[in-house]
Amino acid sequence: QSDASVLSAAPIFPTEELLWDPHSVPPGNFSLASNVQSLSLPKLNARFLSAGDYLLRNFHLFRLECAYEIRGDIVDVVKRMRPALKQDGYTDPNDYYGGQEDTAHQDDFGKTEFQGWARMGLQLKSNKEDKQGFRIIRVDPPRLGQRFPSNVVAELVLDLYHCATSLASEWDELREFDNLFLVAVDAT
C-alpha cells in the first residue's frame, strides 16, 4: 500500500481499539522519570526517509499522543463521576414480603447511576418520556471509494437544570466542529 492510501484510510481521531490497547498506549501515568518500563515508539530518523514516509510516521506518533491524552481525559471524567450500580438495600427487588413491587420502581434496579460530578461530563437523559438522551437522525451513504458514512447526524439531549449557570453557559457555547466523546458506562 502507498502512504497516501494508508493515510486516507486512517481515521483522524484514535479509534476505540487504539485508545484501550495497552501495547500501543501505556495504561496509567507514564513519565520519563520512571525508568521502570520503556515505551517503544517508531524512530523518526530523517536521514533515510522519504518525505511521505516521514509524514506517515509523524501522523502515527501524533495519533498515539492524541490517544494517550484522550484516554487520560476520559478516565479522569469517569472516575470523578463515580458510576455505581443502583440498589435500594434489598437483595431481590421482586421478593418484598412475598409480593411484587411497583414495576416502575423495579425498572431502576441494576441501572448505572452517577454519584459524583465532573465539569465536562454529563449523563445523557431527557425529562420527557418520549425523547431519548441520544438518537441517530440520519446516516448518509459513503462517498465513492470510501468505507465510512459521509455524514452522520445525531441529537443529544442534555439536562442542564442542575448545573451552575457558568457551566450551563459553557455547554451552550459548544459549536459545530467541537469534539465530544460519548462513553457508555456500565457499572455491573
Side-chain angles (χ1 to χ4, degrees):
Q1 287 185 350
S2 69
D3 293 342
S5 63
V6 170
L7 281 176
S8 65
I12 294 174
F13 290 103
T15 60
E16 185 176 358
E17 291 83 22
L18 180 62
L19 279 177
W20 305 111
D21 182 16
H23 301 292
S24 297
V25 182
N29 292 333
F30 184 83
S31 66
L32 295 175
S34 65
N35 293 328
V36 178
Q37 63 185 23
S38 63
L39 179 62
S40 64
L41 293 173
K43 294 184 180 181
L44 287 175
N45 189 354
R47 289 174 57 180
F48 303 107
L49 296 178
S50 66
D53 194 24
Y54 180 76
L55 291 174
L56 182 65
R57 289 182 183 207
N58 268 322
F59 178 72
H60 287 305
L61 282 174
F62 176 74
R63 284 190 64 218
L64 288 174
E65 184 180 349
C66 286
Y68 182 77
E69 293 294 326
I70 290 170
R71 184 178 64 190
D73 290 342
I74 290 173
V75 167
D76 181 50
V77 166
V78 171
K79 277 183 186 177
R80 289 174 188 266
M81 292 185 73
R82 294 191 336 243
L85 194 61
K86 186 170 187 175
Q87 298 174 355
D88 77 342
Y90 296 104
T91 56
D92 186 4
N94 295 328
D95 190 20
Y96 182 74
Y97 296 113
Q100 292 284 332
E101 286 189 30
D102 183 20
T103 56
H105 185 59
Q106 286 178 1
D107 290 340
D108 288 342
F109 285 107
K111 289 188 176 180
T112 301
E113 68 178 1
F114 296 98
Q115 299 172 345
W117 178 84
R119 181 169 188 82
M120 293 306 282
L122 291 176
Q123 183 177 0
L124 297 178
K125 62 182 177 179
S126 174
N127 292 334
K128 299 178 183 177
E129 294 295 326
D130 59 335
K131 271 194 107 106
Q132 298 174 342
F134 174 76
R135 68 183 179 121
I136 296 178
I137 297 172
R138 186 181 78 234
V139 178
D140 293 341
R143 293 187 179 118
L144 187 63
Q146 298 290 320
R147 298 182 308 165
F148 304 105
S150 61
N151 192 23
V152 177
V153 178
E155 178 183 56
L156 299 171
V157 178
L158 299 173
D159 184 14
L160 299 174
Y161 178 73
H162 298 291
C163 295
T165 310
S166 62
L167 185 61
S169 66
E170 213 172 312
W171 277 98
D172 286 337
E173 290 174 3
L174 290 176
R175 295 293 170 239
E176 183 179 355
F177 294 106
D178 289 343
N179 300 313
L180 297 175
F181 296 98
L182 300 176
V183 179
V185 178
D186 186 7
T188 55

